[in-house]
Amino acid sequence: MKFFIDSANLDDVRKAVELGMADGVTTNPSLMAKETGISFHQQIATICGMVDGPVSAEVTALDYAGMVKQGRELAKIAANVTVKLPLTPDGLRACRVLADEGTMVNVTLCFSAAQAILGAKAGASFISPFVGRIDDVGEHGMSLIAEIVEIYSNYDWDTEVLVASVRHPTHVLEAARIGADVVTMPFKVLEQMYKHPLTTIGIDQFMADWKKSGL
Ligand code: E4P
């Protein structure tokens, strides 16, 4: 299972890279907007230089021609740019064009298995179902992941299931049990995964005993 960091923040990315846990990065316009005094393309270029894996950069055009134009510009930034397109008819059309040109595409804002099928058929490298936002409206986001993984396993599609809108470590565990290809998570969730009170207590105990022993 690959771990992507869901952030446009360079410190987050750096810390995840130092931990050896960043197989890629996902950004979106809201995450970019949190970073002040940056240029969008420059920020993507910097992140692309920090990780070897895919870095998702989202278009802001909503029409087919605009998406293709922006997607081509983003793809020029670095070889590991993945163009992020919304799951709309224009987005699916643009996905096919960019994928045929050899550009990785992440089809985002997926909320149903039917949409996920369309993303795969459009040649997306990644499909991003948003589990947290589905949970937020009283449905079960992980059931959608299980459904998509099951459907994709029936075919030879190369599209990877990228679990997005991850809010806590349990989302990561459930995605791993289902066998999702990728989970993208805020750095905070990665930290929550390694922190455990018994690990801290265990270290304190070992250090206290070691000190007492005089060894
Ligand atoms: C995925 O690529 C998105 O950037 C992200 O996971 C959305 O998460 P949110 O629902 O917490 O905004």
Side-chain angles (χ1 to χ4, degrees), residues 29 40 58-71 73-74 84-86 88 90-91 94:
F40 173 38
E58 189 156 347
V59 300
T60 49
L62 296 179
D63 64 296
Y64 161 74
M67 286 184 193
V68 171
K69 185 169 178 288
Q70 286 187 3
E73 285 161 3
L74 289 168
K84 211 171 178 192
L85 301 170
T88 61
D90 286 48

Side-chain angles (χ1 to χ4, degrees), residues 6 26-28 31 84 106 108 128 130 133 162 164-167 184:
D6 198 25
T26 51
T27 70
N28 64 38
L31 292 171
K84 211 171 178 192
N106 175 358
T108 190
S128 290
F130 278 37
R133 294 192 195 187
L162 193 169
S165 189
V166 162
R167 303 273 166 79
T184 188

Side-chain angles (χ1 to χ4, degrees), residues 15 35-36 61-62 68 81 91 109 138 186-187 212 215:
K15 286 185 281 184
E35 306 306 309
T36 48
L62 296 179
V68 171
V81 163
L109 292 167
F187 183 73
K212 259 189 283 167
L215 288 168

